[in-house]
Each structure stands twice: as structure tokens, then as C-alpha cells.
Amino acid sequence: MVEQLRKDRIDVIVVDPISAVTAACGIDENGNAEVRPLLDRFDAAAREAGCRCIVIVHHTGHDGSRFRGASAFGDWATAVWTLHNATATA
């Protein structure tokens, strides 16, 4: 993957949604001990490939007040954007 990122001169990696990656890898998205190493591997690959940043899209819990799953998602992030659909109906 790193070689392809370098070859294509990719600046930004977007993972949307992260739950698809955790499911495909058999990682419990609620477990910090499983999630944090995955996020650290993304960091290492981006650094090695020369990417400027990684954008991880992750959904909130049912009430929208926090990340779904492991607290490692929030601990790892440099910045967090929360988007709300203003036209969504309950």
C-alpha cells in the first residue's frame, strides 16, 4: 500500500467509514487494545508514504454526543469535525 501511495503521490488518505475496515480486519471497534494499533498503523503508513494527513470517518453513537466504539478514536484524532444533517427527520 505504501509503495502505491508514493507512486501515485497521494497527499490525503480518506477512510470512509472506518467501521468497514475494522469489520474486514476482524477488529472489535469497541476495544481500545484493537483499535489503537490499527490507527497507529495508518499513521505509520502515511508517514512512510509521505502523505500529509489521514481523514477517518466514524459515526457517533445513538445520541450523537460521542464517538461510537473505542475511546481510542477520539484520543488519536488531531481534529474532530461533527457533521449534522439539518434536514434529517427523527
Side-chain angles (χ1 to χ4, degrees):
M1 175 177 85
V2 170
E3 184 177 318
Q4 191 65 49
L5 291 168
R6 261 198 229 122
K7 179 183 171 201
D8 292 340
R9 295 163 55 183
I10 301 298
D11 286 328
V12 178
I13 299 169
V14 178
V15 182
D16 180 10
I18 189 67
S19 61
V21 176
T22 57
C25 295
I27 292 172
D28 176 10
E29 74 172 18
N30 296 307
N32 287 315
E34 295 181 50
V35 169
R36 186 58 197 229
L38 172 67
L39 298 173
D40 291 342
R41 287 193 296 272
F42 274 119
D43 275 337
R47 268 193 312 277
E48 190 177 336
C51 297
R52 294 178 184 259
C53 73
I54 306 166
V55 176
I56 302 278
V57 176
H58 189 47
H59 297 206
T60 59
H62 293 289
D63 69 359
S65 67
R66 62 176 292 281
F67 296 105
R68 187 175 80 188
S71 62
F73 289 113
D75 296 342
W76 173 82
T78 302
V80 175
W81 295 313
T82 304
L83 304 176
H84 299 274
N85 184 345
T87 61
T89 57

